[in-house]
Amino acid sequence: MLSSTPRRRTATALTGLVLAALSAASLVSCSSDNNNGSSSSASATATASFSGSAPSALASVKESVKASVSALASSASAQASAWLASVSAETERANRAAKNALKDVDGKGNATADVSLTGKPRSETAGLLAVVVNITNSTDETTSYAVQVDFRDPDGKVVQTRYVGAEDLKPGAKAQPLAISTKAAEQQLTAVVAKAQRY
């Protein structure tokens, strides 16, 4: 036999209301199969006779959800900054070397056939546009690569340029550095290989 005190009825009712607010589902009674074959409808009974302050509890849940959404939105740029900061110093050094290797290259360079781009899901990059730069050494010698990736707007204008590289790549070996745009996520940009050079 199940007996409910007023305090237990109030707690059960509040729990039911909170679950309803969060899941947008109807309240479910506590009836279930149990060992003695009996079922209980304490939750339904408690909520039917409840005369407490449910509206204020529901309002509190609503405000809490609103605050959580606001906090998530305001932290998006902080998450993006943290993700960018995770790029190692060695990668940054290789990228500077790639930029230096490309500064005197005319045209598209001698290695564009060895380079392709693959998009990276924004869910993995804190909302930033990032592409994997796939570099494959197609020669029979160990060599280094420098790649310039341009991010262009729908009009074809270059709004940001990134340099990535792979050093001492053995014949047939592959490297996959990232080229990351720090422009606002709502901008529709396309990444293209502007230059690629073996050196």
Side-chain angles (χ1 to χ4, degrees):
M1 182 187 304
L2 182 66
S3 64
S4 297
T5 65
R7 177 177 286 176
R8 180 178 290 173
R9 285 199 303 268
T10 301
T12 303
L14 285 176
T15 300
L17 287 171
V18 169
L19 288 175
L22 293 178
S23 65
S26 61
L27 287 171
V28 178
S29 71
C30 292
S31 63
S32 62
D33 294 334
N34 49 26
N35 294 335
N36 61 14
S38 66
S39 65
S40 169
S41 59
S43 178
T45 302
T47 55
S49 63
F50 179 68
S51 62
S53 57
S56 64
L58 199 53
S60 176
V61 170
K62 183 178 177 183
E63 289 305 314
S64 177
V65 170
K66 273 183 169 180
S68 295
V69 170
S70 177
L72 285 173
S74 66
S75 69
S77 62
Q79 289 175 2
S81 296
W83 187 75
L84 280 174
S86 69
V87 177
S88 71
E90 177 58 24
T91 300
E92 287 298 318
R93 187 201 61 74
N95 293 352
R96 284 194 301 274
K99 183 176 181 178
N100 287 335
L102 286 169
K103 69 181 178 184
D104 294 325
V105 173
D106 292 325
K108 294 182 76 68
N110 62 11
T112 54
D114 291 350
V115 179
S116 65
L117 303 178
T118 304
K120 195 162 180 63
R122 287 183 188 252
S123 60
E124 297 176 13
T125 63
L128 295 175
L129 174 60
V131 292
V132 179
V133 182
N134 303 292
I135 304 170
T136 304
N137 183 356
S138 63
T139 73
D140 56 3
E141 296 179 0
T142 297
T143 188
S144 296
Y145 283 81
V147 181
Q148 176 183 326
V149 177
D150 286 344
F151 291 92
R152 297 179 179 172
D153 67 14
D155 295 327
K157 179 184 176 184
V158 176
V159 296
Q160 194 165 31
T161 295
R162 290 290 185 228
Y163 298 91
V164 298
E167 296 179 325
D168 301 322
L169 205 57
K170 296 185 182 308
K174 297 181 180 183
Q176 294 185 306
L178 291 177
I180 306 162
S181 171
T182 56
K183 295 298 181 182
E186 59 270 13
Q187 282 191 276
Q188 293 187 353
L189 303 178
T190 303
V192 296
V193 177
K195 292 183 181 183
Q197 181 80 4
R198 283 186 295 271
Y199 65 97

